[in-house]
Structure formats: C-alpha cells, structure tokens
Amino acid sequence: MQIEKVSHKGKTLAKKTKNNGSVSYSAKGIHIGTDVKTGKKVVTTITAKTIKEFDRKLRDRKLEFENNGFTKQKQTQVYRFEDLANIWFENYCLYIQENTINRVGGYIRNYIIPKFGTFRVDKIEPYDIQLWVNELAENAKKAINFDTLDKKKGNAQDFGAIAHKLSDIFDFGITNFGLKVNPAKSIKIPPKPKANKKRIKVLHSEELAIWLAYTSKLTDNQANRRFKLICDTLLETGCRINELLALTIEDLNLETYQMSINKTLVWKNANKKLGTKGKVICKPTPKTDSGNRKIEVSQQILERLKLWYLEVEDRLKKLGLEETNLIFPTVHGNFMCDRNERATLKKYLADAKLPIYGFHLFRHTHASLLLNKGINWKELQVRMGHKSISTTMDLYAELAPKTKIEAVNLLQKELAILTTN
C-alpha cells in the first residue's frame, strides 16, 4: 500500500493506494464546530473513495451536527404531540404535590392527549386549539347545573386551566426540543360559565333526618358499621374524608375530647415506565398549614372510634397480620382509599331519595348546622381548617338561612323599640 499526503481546501488528506489500484482519501481530527453544551471543539474522521465524496461527507457531518442543536450530546426527538406531553408530565411530576399531579394528569389523559396526541407537534395550529377550547366551554355550559356524582365526564369547568397546561407543554417543547412557536399562546379562553342557581351541597334539617333514619336501619354488619361511623364522624367533625382515613389511635384524646388533624391521604398514580402501581400514600401534613388543628368532639364519637379500632386490631391479629395504628385501615392493615366507600355513599343516598354527592356533603352540612346554632365565623374557620376567613364566608354564607331570618327579626325588634321611644 502506498500512502501520500494531499492538500485539499486547507486540509491535509491521506491518499492511500492499495496494491490492486483502489484509492481512498481520509483525514482525522477535522473540526466541524463547537459543542454548545460542553464548549469543546467537535472533530470527526472521514474516509471516502474520491475527493468529491470526501467533501460531501464533510458537509453531511456539519449539517447533522447543526440539526442536532450544535451538540454531540444525545438528543431526544419528539414528533407526535403525545410523546412531548408525556415527557413534559414526567418532568412536571418531579416538583409538584400528589393532588395536583392527579388533577393535571387527568387533564392530560382525558382531554389533551385524546385531542392532539396523534398530531405532529409542529403541525398543530392556533385555530385547532381555539375550536377545541370553544367546544370544551360549550360542554361545560351544558353540564353546569348537574353537580352530582352522576355528571358526565369530559365536561370540566376548568377548561381554562386545561388550555394553560397545553400552552405549558408547547413552551417546554420550545425550550427543550427546538419547537419554533407556541400555537396555544394566541388563543382566547371563553369566560367560565355560571350556574343558573346557587348549588348547595348540604343536607338541611328534613333531608338530614331522612339520612339519619335511613342509616339507622342498615343491616348490622362490619361494612355498614364502618360506613356509618365514617359518615357520623364526618358530620360531627367537619373534617375531610382523607383527613379522617389518615386518623390514628394516637390522634384521639379521650381526656380533652379532642381529635388531632395533622395528616391526609393522597392517591399516587401508577407509573408504567417505572413499573409502579397506583397506591394510597400518607402525606404527613394536612391540605394546608391551617389544616393542622384540633377539633372538639363528643365523648360518644371518640368511644365509637376507639371501639372500632379495637375491633379492627382484633381482626388483624386473628388473620396473623401486623398491627396498625390506623382507625380505618384496609383488611390488610394498609391505608384505605375512599373509592369503595364513596360508591356505597352514592348507592345509599340514591336509595334514600337524596341528592347524590360525595363525602364533602357532610363537611358542608356540619358547617350549616353550626352556623344556624350561632357559631361565629372565626371559630368556624379554625374548625374547618381554612387558611382565610374569607374562604369560610364565601363557601358557607348561603348555608345559614335560619341565621339570616333571625337577623331580620332582631333588626325589626330593635326598630320597633326605637319607634316607640
């Protein structure tokens, strides 16, 4: 083999001529650019049969380097919108709380991906998004007055939040994958629809009497005793269902007649990539800092909770399972998801011919009962675990009709006294 040096366009190439007469040209350490991520020079080796082929390969290497964002580092390419949305959501989950992850995950799975998942990322137009958001707004209008557990899925009232998350996904694509524009930036979000009438998720006196009479006649079995205790405790304490299901025996104080609310349960969704299943986890703090509170409760409820705990403890021992300090565990002693109990609540409310709501029904009813008995707003705020008293007043101002009537009566009496004087 014969090797000689050849100068070509300022580069030194090695021309190799084999014994059979075939020729090749090669060069090592050819500079094609600077890596924007590392700041280092990027070089390559090229071998070609002809000078013309050498020049073509060099152009191709430079173009490939440019298309890869001027870096040799591995780049993830996304073409379908579903891929971009999933990568965005994986990153989003790294710094967001579970409840928010569940809500936004619902936006992605139920609305965004079904609509745009199969689209090429760079082919989604503002008009496509505007039509879709308009449709979501129209669906929300139709569903606004049906606020029960039977309402249709796909008619979310927070379509504006869904559109904003779609915009966040496109911004993520611009930052990380070279997407040129965000087509969701220029759309107009329709106003959120308002209900024709005020919807109050509460059992007033007659309805509450029907409910209490209905549950008192339930068959005396373990499942019904647990369900009734859950409902009665929610009604008396006003706590949230997942605060109650996180309750441990240490949270009960039979001397001061208090219940400590200091944690809550949340649902952690499955992750197919990591091979993990969905499960209930305990968050060691309530929904908000102000949610960390102590609630005064009756001796009767405290004793019922303790007796139930002892019954559960005895059952776990007989099954050879580990003891738990949870008051409402699963049959295996784990954190309980409220889904099964919620299905039971829905069935029993329907049987009793009452509105079909979730467990928050008892929280609102609790507030209504206290307001109509004269509790002041500050006391109610603390008891409900609200951060702001304005939140309490905005939520429950409509739940005290008796108080309003009494206020009018007091005003009339005072005016009558002043008139006679």
Side-chain angles (χ1 to χ4, degrees):
M1 178 186 292
Q2 181 180 350
I3 301 176
E4 61 180 302
K5 292 182 179 180
V6 176
S7 180
H8 173 66
K9 295 182 179 180
K11 299 177 180 62
T12 301
L13 280 61
K15 179 181 178 182
K16 298 178 181 179
T17 305
K18 294 183 179 181
N19 295 333
N20 62 6
S22 63
V23 177
S24 66
Y25 297 86
S26 64
K28 296 181 179 179
I30 298 178
H31 180 245
I32 60 173
T34 301
D35 195 305
V36 294
K37 292 192 174 183
T38 65
K40 295 181 180 180
K41 290 184 177 181
V42 177
V43 296
T44 189
T45 297
I46 296 176
T47 300
K49 293 180 179 180
T50 64
I51 294 290
K52 186 175 181 181
E53 183 183 13
F54 182 92
D55 289 339
R56 179 176 58 78
K57 284 189 174 183
L58 178 58
R59 287 195 305 270
D60 290 345
R61 297 283 174 87
K62 288 183 177 181
L63 182 61
E64 181 183 358
F65 179 67
E66 179 181 348
N67 290 338
N68 199 51
F70 294 99
T71 179
K72 293 293 287 184
Q73 305 303 309
K74 184 179 179 182
Q75 295 279 86
T76 303
Q77 298 295 321
V78 293
Y79 299 99
R80 291 192 316 153
F81 181 81
E82 181 174 2
D83 298 327
L84 177 62
N86 286 330
I87 295 171
W88 173 85
F89 188 60
E90 286 178 11
N91 284 269
Y92 180 79
C93 292
L94 296 176
Y95 53 92
I96 300 296
Q97 294 182 351
E98 290 298 332
N99 283 337
T100 305
I101 288 174
N102 293 340
R103 175 169 51 81
V104 175
Y107 295 164
I108 301 295
R109 292 188 305 272
N110 300 327
Y111 295 91
I112 295 176
I113 286 181
K115 178 63 181 180
F116 298 110
T118 59
F119 282 50
R120 276 188 53 175
V121 174
D122 58 347
K123 296 301 181 182
I124 300 174
E125 301 291 340
Y127 186 64
D128 298 325
I129 300 173
Q130 187 67 67
L131 288 178
W132 172 66
V133 172
N134 292 348
E135 183 181 347
L136 292 181
E138 285 300 316
N139 290 341
K141 284 182 183 178
K142 296 174 184 177
I144 190 68
N145 290 307
F146 297 93
D147 192 27
T148 73
L149 295 183
D150 288 329
K151 63 185 177 183
K152 288 185 177 180
K153 292 187 179 298
N155 296 332
Q157 303 300 308
D158 47 353
F159 54 84
I162 297 173
H164 286 305
K165 286 293 172 284
L166 177 65
S167 181
D168 290 345
I169 294 171
F170 281 115
D171 282 342
F172 181 79
I174 290 172
T175 303
N176 297 280
F177 299 106
L179 194 63
K180 301 301 181 184
V181 295
N182 181 345
K185 283 289 187 186
S186 60
I187 69 165
K188 302 296 182 183
I189 298 176
K192 190 173 182 179
K194 296 181 179 180
N196 295 329
K197 59 181 180 179
K198 185 72 177 180
R199 294 163 296 153
I200 303 174
K201 302 177 184 178
V202 62
L203 295 175
H204 291 299
S205 298
E206 292 183 3
E207 294 172 320
L208 183 56
I210 293 172
W211 173 252
L212 294 175
Y214 177 86
T215 55
S216 68
K217 296 176 182 177
L218 290 173
T219 304
D220 185 19
N221 57 40
Q222 191 177 83
N224 279 337
R225 287 200 304 276
R226 180 179 66 183
F227 174 79
K228 191 172 186 305
L229 180 56
I230 288 173
C231 294
D232 290 349
T233 307
L234 291 175
L235 184 60
E236 182 165 320
T237 63
C239 65
R240 302 172 179 91
I241 179 62
N242 283 317
E243 292 174 338
L244 179 64
L245 297 182
L247 210 63
T248 64
I249 191 64
E250 292 83 7
D251 295 324
L252 305 183
N253 191 325
L254 276 75
E255 294 182 359
T256 61
Y257 304 126
Q258 288 181 320
M259 176 189 295
S260 295
I261 306 296
N262 48 45
K263 50 193 171 296
T264 190
L265 301 185
V266 294
W267 177 258
K268 185 177 180 64
N269 281 323
N271 188 316
K272 291 183 179 179
K273 288 191 175 181
L274 297 178
T276 58
K277 296 181 179 180
K279 63 178 181 179
V280 180
I281 62 173
C282 185
K283 182 182 173 186
T285 56
K287 185 178 179 180
T288 61
D289 290 340
S290 53
N292 199 328
R293 62 203 188 277
K294 291 184 178 181
I295 299 174
E296 285 69 26
V297 291
S298 69
Q299 180 181 359
Q300 181 188 26
I301 282 290
L302 287 173
E303 289 178 347
R304 286 176 63 190
L305 289 168
K306 183 178 179 180
L307 286 173
W308 175 257
Y309 170 77
L310 294 174
E311 181 180 336
V312 169
E313 187 179 41
D314 183 60
R315 184 172 70 252
L316 292 176
K317 284 182 180 178
K318 289 179 179 178
L319 293 172
L321 299 173
E322 291 185 11
E323 295 181 15
T324 177
N325 61 351
L326 292 170
I327 295 177
F328 295 107
T330 65
V331 292
H332 299 292
N334 303 319
F335 294 118
M336 187 174 85
C337 179
D338 71 317
R339 290 179 181 176
N340 290 338
E341 295 297 317
R342 191 164 68 239
T344 302
L345 174 64
K346 175 181 176 180
K347 178 181 182 302
Y348 287 170
L349 284 170
D351 288 345
K353 303 296 189 295
L354 292 170
I356 302 175
Y357 293 129
F359 280 110
H360 239 57
L361 171 69
F362 299 112
R363 181 169 166 85
H364 295 330
T365 301
H366 173 84
S368 177
L369 290 170
L370 291 181
L371 284 170
N372 281 308
K373 290 300 179 182
I375 191 173
N376 67 58
W377 287 107
K378 186 61 181 178
E379 288 178 300
L380 185 61
Q381 175 204 345
V382 173
R383 190 171 181 86
M384 305 304 283
H386 289 150
K387 184 177 180 179
S388 168
I389 195 170
S390 63
T391 300
T392 312
M393 297 178 76
D394 288 344
L395 280 173
Y396 299 127
E398 296 299 318
L399 299 185
K402 290 183 180 178
T403 303
K404 292 180 179 180
I405 294 172
E406 289 173 3
V408 172
N409 291 337
L410 288 172
L411 178 62
Q412 288 179 333
K413 288 180 181 178
E414 185 63 23
L415 289 174
I417 293 172
L418 293 173
T419 302
T420 55
N421 290 340

